[in-house]
């Protein structure tokens, strides 16, 4: 049996996040089998395939990524296009928008 790489698991999970919903880096890490690898998820996101909805992954408080390609303003813009409300501190309501795969 071939083990799927951690990065590939992340790609497959992030691809499923519906528009207008969010996941946290830690949540993605845990669901992909490595609950202490939130930072690694961030690295995978930063260098991963650009066709995945990485903008739907935020920190545990709902805060957007300051290192987002193009800047935090682009991260905000992408989420607002999906009707996600972002406050003045660049945070989304993670409690309301958190998505869990079934």
């Amino acid at each position: 049996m071939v083990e799927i790489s951690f990065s590939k698991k992340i790609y497959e999970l992030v691809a499923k996040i519906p528009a207008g919903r969010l996941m946290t880096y830690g949540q993605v890490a845990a669901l992909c089998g490595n609950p202490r690898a939130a930072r690694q998820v961030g690295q995978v996101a930063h260098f991963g395939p650009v066709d995945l909805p990485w903008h739907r992954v935020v920190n545990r408080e709902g805060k957007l990524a300051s290192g987002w390609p193009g800047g935090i303003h682009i991260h905000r813009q992408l989420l607002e296009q999906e009707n996600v409300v972002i406050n003045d501190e660049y945070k989304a309501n993670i409690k309301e928008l958190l998505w869990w795969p079934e």
Side-chain angles (χ1 to χ4, degrees), residues 58-86:
V58 297
N59 81 6
R60 68 178 177 230
E61 298 172 348
K63 188 156 172 108
L64 308 188
S66 58
W68 186 261
I72 199 168
H73 301 291
I74 299 299
H75 194 176
R76 178 184 199 149
Q77 190 175 50
L78 291 169
L79 288 170
E80 287 177 339
Q81 288 173 358
E82 297 180 359
N83 298 314
V84 174
V85 176
I86 306 298

Side-chain angles (χ1 to χ4, degrees), residues 47-67:
F47 297 105
V50 297
D51 60 333
L52 293 176
W54 297 111
H55 62 287
R56 297 178 188 149
V57 183
V58 297
N59 81 6
R60 68 178 177 230
E61 298 172 348
K63 188 156 172 108
L64 308 188
S66 58

Side-chain angles (χ1 to χ4, degrees), residues 3-4 7 10 18 27 30 37 46 52 73 81 86 89 94 96:
E3 175 76 22
I4 298 174
S7 293
I10 294 169
Q27 179 189 18
H46 190 73
L52 293 176
H73 301 291
Q81 288 173 358
I86 306 298
E89 297 175 337
I94 193 68
E96 178 184 306

